[in-house]
């Protein structure tokens, strides 16, 4: 079992930066692909970024390419999302997730979500 807890969210101004962390417990995250998703009221959860277990492969939704960077530190059992040049459209609840596969049909483990609000 893997438990995931997000941190680092909050309120920032447009153009600012924020770093989200996803701390895991219960099991090492090294065998797992990790991902970030986000959801706004009235909309379905949206894929944001994913990273393979070793960190060798990453993927991003087009709207965040060049602005967001996903990374991981397996020694610290933590995954990160560095968000730069934030836009009001990035406002959402962000969720971290983990799965044994890089392109899972559905992620096995999920965090509770954390609010990111970008003001104009």
């Amino acid at each position: 079992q893997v438990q995931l807890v997000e941190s680092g969210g909050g309120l920032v101004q447009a153009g600012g930066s924020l770093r989200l962390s996803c701390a895991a417990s219960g099991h090492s995250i090294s065998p797992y692909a990790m991902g970030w998703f986000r959801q706004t009221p009235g909309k379905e959860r949206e894929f944001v970024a994913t990273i393979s277990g070793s960190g060798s492969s990453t993927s991003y939704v087009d709207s965040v390419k060049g602005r967001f960077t996903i990374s991981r530190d397996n020694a610290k059992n933590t995954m990160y999302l560095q968000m730069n040049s934030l836009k009001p459209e990035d406002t959402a609840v962000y969720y971290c997730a983990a799965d044994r596969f890089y392109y899972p049909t559905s992620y096995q483990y999920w965090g509770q979500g954390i609010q990111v609000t970008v003001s104009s």
Side-chain angles (χ1 to χ4, degrees):
Q1 296 182 357
V2 179
Q3 294 81 45
L4 304 173
V5 179
E6 301 95 338
S7 63
L11 174 65
V12 297
Q13 293 183 332
S17 297
L18 203 62
R19 190 190 197 193
L20 302 183
S21 298
C22 176
S25 62
H27 197 282
S28 170
I29 63 169
S30 59
Y32 292 89
M34 305 287 291
W36 288 97
F37 295 76
R38 64 188 182 186
Q39 187 170 25
T40 57
K43 298 184 67 176
E44 294 184 348
R45 192 169 299 179
E46 174 192 28
F47 164 79
V48 177
T50 189
I51 185 168
S52 62
S54 67
S56 62
S57 299
T58 59
S59 184
Y60 301 88
V61 67
D62 286 345
S63 60
V64 309
K65 288 180 179 178
R67 300 188 298 119
F68 290 10
T69 303
I70 188 170
S71 62
R72 64 193 296 155
D73 187 338
N74 288 344
K76 296 181 178 179
N77 230 30
T78 303
M79 187 257 296
Y80 307 96
L81 185 67
Q82 179 67 47
M83 304 184 293
N84 298 327
S85 301
L86 282 163
K87 304 175 181 179
E89 303 87 79
D90 296 318
T91 295
V93 175
Y94 283 71
Y95 298 85
C96 69
D99 199 270
R100 289 284 187 176
F101 301 97
Y102 184 55
Y103 291 108
T105 301
S106 60
Y107 277 76
Q108 185 175 9
Y109 301 105
W110 292 85
Q112 81 286 355
I114 190 165
Q115 180 70 45
V116 171
T117 302
V118 184
S119 62
S120 60

